[in-house]
Amino acid sequence: MWLNQNFLLPEGAESPNVTFNSLRGSGLMSFNMAANGQVTLRTDDIDLAGDLVQSLTSFLAIEDLSAEADFPAYFEELRATLTEVDEFHAVHQKLTAEMADHSNYIRNMLVQAEDARLMSDMTSMKKRYRELYDLNRDLINEYKIRSNNHNALLVRLKSVNQAIQRAGRLRVGKPKNQVIAACRDAIKSNNVNALFRIMRAGAASS
């Protein structure tokens, strides 16, 4: 009934084992149902899989559903994104430390320039202000780099959060909430291997 309501099936088709060509551009998509009621969905599109799981479980009024899932290409992309997150974090910390050092140096330079002015040492004062100008210019450039790095980091973190939500949508109810919570814990503890185990097999596997 669910297949007939949601897909254009050949007339007289009664088997739940069907294969479609996905118009989303993700290739073939197939359903297979075993005698024990276990359903296997095959597609390379994790978003499409999540939509179908949510639609089917809603139709069947299933409140809790666990699932095993594997999307090799998508998980490799996510692994690369997590590597980039680590790299951007390292750069962010380095730039923050350098900016703090430069800020302290500027404060010291200002004090020296003011001392030179009070002592009417114009040569030293001009020298300090030239150095201050150069330092300020460097600080502005560092801020621009830090800002660009921060924006790039936010984009990657958003992708990671979307991946967690996508993994959650492959489950329903309590298993969904457990997967999302366990994935976030894995991210906080920087346990990438646990993250992918949870996404594949659910929170119980962690």
Side-chain angles (χ1 to χ4, degrees), residues 102 105-106 109 126-142:
H102 277 172
Y105 195 27
I106 284 173
M109 199 70 67
K126 289 178 182 178
K127 181 182 178 183
R128 293 291 176 259
Y129 276 118
R130 280 196 298 270
E131 291 173 348
L132 272 170
Y133 176 82
D134 291 338
L135 275 172
N136 189 58
R137 183 187 57 206
D138 292 343
L139 199 61
I140 291 171
N141 289 334
E142 285 177 6

Side-chain angles (χ1 to χ4, degrees), residues 81 84-86 88-89 92 146-162:
T81 299
E84 290 178 338
V85 167
D86 288 340
F88 282 123
H89 264 307
H92 176 78
R146 185 169 176 261
S147 178
N148 291 336
N149 180 82
H150 179 70
N151 290 335
L153 176 59
L154 288 180
V155 170
R156 270 62 175 189
L157 290 175
K158 182 178 179 182
S159 294
V160 173
N161 186 58
Q162 288 173 337

Side-chain angles (χ1 to χ4, degrees), residues 67-70 75 163-164 167-168 170-171 175-187 189 191-206:
E68 294 183 7
D70 193 16
F75 287 161
I164 292 173
L170 300 173
R171 288 90 182 174
K176 173 182 178 179
N177 295 332
Q178 288 175 334
V179 162
I180 292 173
C183 284
R184 287 176 176 161
D185 287 342
I187 291 291
S189 61
N191 193 337
V192 175
N193 291 331
L195 174 69
F196 286 110
R197 281 200 307 272
I198 294 160
M199 287 184 163
R200 288 188 175 97
S205 67
S206 61

Side-chain angles (χ1 to χ4, degrees), residues 32-201:
N32 293 95
M33 185 172 179
N36 64 358
Q38 178 174 301
V39 174
T40 301
L41 168 62
R42 290 183 176 87
T43 175
D44 291 329
D45 188 334
I46 191 171
D47 287 317
L48 176 59
D51 290 345
L52 293 171
V53 168
Q54 296 300 313
S55 174
L56 179 57
T57 53
S58 175
F59 181 83
L60 297 176
I62 295 173
E63 295 182 356
D64 294 301
L65 178 78
S66 58
E68 294 183 7
D70 193 16
F71 295 87
Y74 180 73
F75 287 161
E76 276 306 307
E77 290 177 13
L78 178 58
R79 190 178 291 275
T81 299
L82 290 167
T83 299
E84 290 178 338
V85 167
D86 288 340
E87 292 170 353
F88 282 123
H89 264 307
V91 171
H92 176 78
Q93 291 173 346
K94 180 174 180 289
L95 290 172
T96 300
E98 288 177 354
M99 288 183 71
D101 290 341
H102 277 172
S103 296
N104 290 331
Y105 195 27
I106 284 173
R107 278 194 291 270
N108 293 333
M109 199 70 67
L110 275 171
V111 171
Q112 292 176 23
E114 182 62 13
D115 287 344
R117 185 187 69 80
L118 292 172
M119 292 185 294
S120 299
D121 184 353
M122 296 299 109
T123 301
S124 295
M125 185 188 77
K126 289 178 182 178
K127 181 182 178 183
R128 293 291 176 259
Y129 276 118
R130 280 196 298 270
E131 291 173 348
L132 272 170
Y133 176 82
D134 291 338
L135 275 172
N136 189 58
R137 183 187 57 206
D138 292 343
L139 199 61
I140 291 171
N141 289 334
E142 285 177 6
Y143 174 78
K144 290 177 181 177
I145 294 170
R146 185 169 176 261
S147 178
N148 291 336
N149 180 82
H150 179 70
N151 290 335
L153 176 59
L154 288 180
V155 170
R156 270 62 175 189
L157 290 175
K158 182 178 179 182
S159 294
V160 173
N161 186 58
Q162 288 173 337
I164 292 173
Q165 296 299 323
R166 284 168 174 149
R169 279 179 57 78
L170 300 173
R171 288 90 182 174
V172 175
K174 187 177 179 181
K176 173 182 178 179
N177 295 332
Q178 288 175 334
V179 162
I180 292 173
C183 284
R184 287 176 176 161
D185 287 342
I187 291 291
K188 286 178 184 176
S189 61
N190 201 28
N191 193 337
V192 175
N193 291 331
L195 174 69
F196 286 110
R197 281 200 307 272
I198 294 160
M199 287 184 163
R200 288 188 175 97

